[in-house]
Amino acid sequence: MILYSLLMFACAVLFFIVGIRIYRGKTELIHEYHQTNVTDKAGYGKAMGKAMLGMGAAMAVSGGISGFAASETMMLVSVAVLMAGILADLLIILYIQKKYNGGLF
């Protein structure tokens, strides 16, 4: 349980770092073909950065729950929180791509 918790926190830190960099305008961290039709790079960067921060938050919360998990039920709750957070953020990223790029590619 501790290993999972540490892994989730490490991944969360990476997502926070990348999310902050993208939010501040470093959209080069997003692959070029995802930005083919983007005209508002600043808005796109802020929206994608927030989505990355949300993904990191889901990982941090999941890691926090698993760090204090005393039973298998709490570990399942931890994984469920992670999956729900990732799914929600993926849907948000698809919406952002549709809004700023006109489609996924």
Side-chain angles (χ1 to χ4, degrees), residues 12-71:
V13 168
L14 290 174
F15 272 82
F16 284 140
I17 290 169
V18 172
I20 289 168
R21 294 192 69 193
I22 292 172
Y23 183 84
R24 291 183 178 168
K26 189 103 169 129
T27 57
E28 302 86 42
L29 294 172
I30 303 169
H31 199 281
E32 185 178 300
Y33 66 76
H34 288 299
Q35 303 181 54
T36 307
N37 301 320
V38 175
T39 55
D40 181 11
K41 295 271 188 181
Y44 179 72
K46 287 189 184 299
M48 276 299 216
K50 288 177 187 176
M52 294 295 287
L53 291 171
M55 191 99 49
M59 290 178 190
V61 169
S62 175
I65 292 171
S66 70
F68 296 106
S71 66

